[in-house]
Amino acid sequence: MDNDRTSRSKRLLGEEGVRMLEGACVAVIGLGGVGSACAESLARAGVGRFLFVDKDVVEPSNINRQTIAFMSTIGQRKVDVMERMAQDINPDARIAKLHAFVLEETIDELLAPFERPSFIVDAVDTLTAKAAIAAYAERRGIPAVSAMGMANRSDPTALRFARLFATEGCPFCREMRKICRSRGIADMDVLYSTERPAKVHPVEGAARSEKTELGTHSYMPPVAGLMLAGYVVQHLLHPTQGASL
C-alpha cells in the first residue's frame, strides 16, 4: 500500500534514493532553533542514523522558536527530547547522543567513540565552537555546513548558502573569517543572511552571558534549519555533485 512513512519520498526519490538516506549518518551539533528544526526534517526525510550533540536543557525562552521546546519539555536535556522526537518519526532510526559542549581542545576526544558521520551540521552559537567543528571536518574530509547568526533578522528570503570567504554584509561571518584565518581553516560552507541585523539594546543590569541584545523571530531559525536539511539531503543523494552554493 502506498501509504507508509516513506511513500511520498519514494515517489520523488525512488527506492534507491530512500535507501541512500537510510544508510546515511548525520551529526547535528547544536539543537537550538536551527539545529532542532534541521534534525526533525532530516528524520522525516528518512535519514537512518544520527549523532545529536548539545549540552543545554530546554528553557522557557526557547519556546518561541525551537522545535523541541514545549511547556512539557522545559528542564529536559535537548538531546533526549530530540532523540524521542526523531524515534517517534522513524522508529527504525539509530540515534547516538552526546550531552556536551564542543570545544576546540576536546572535539576529537568527544567524537572519537561515535560513527564517522556522512555529513556534519553545525548549528552551535559560538564562533570558536564553529571553528573547531570546521577544522575537525576539514581534517577528516567530512562534508559539513555551518549556520551563521540568525538573531535580530526578520527576512527569511535573505538567507543564502555560500562559501564563508565569499559572504558579504554579515558581521557574524566577518568575525568567523578572522577566526578561520587565525586557525588556518581554508574555507567552509555556510548559510547566512544578507539582511543587516536590527539593533536591540541589552536589558539594563542583565549579565553579559544572558545576551539580552539578541532577539529572534519564531520563524527565522526553523526556516534556516529546513534549508540546511535540504542542503544535506541533496548532498547525500548526489555526493559527487553536492548541493550547489
Side-chain angles (χ1 to χ4, degrees), residues 182-198:
S182 69
R183 286 162 170 72
I185 298 169
D187 211 340
M188 54 194 289
D189 293 349
V190 301
L191 175 65
Y192 80 109
S193 176
T194 60
E195 178 187 6
R196 186 179 296 276

Side-chain angles (χ1 to χ4, degrees), residues 127 164 170-180:
L127 291 164
L164 176 65
C170 174
F172 197 95
C173 291
R174 183 169 59 249
E175 295 302 312
M176 191 72 230
R177 287 195 294 271
K178 292 178 184 177
I179 293 177
C180 285

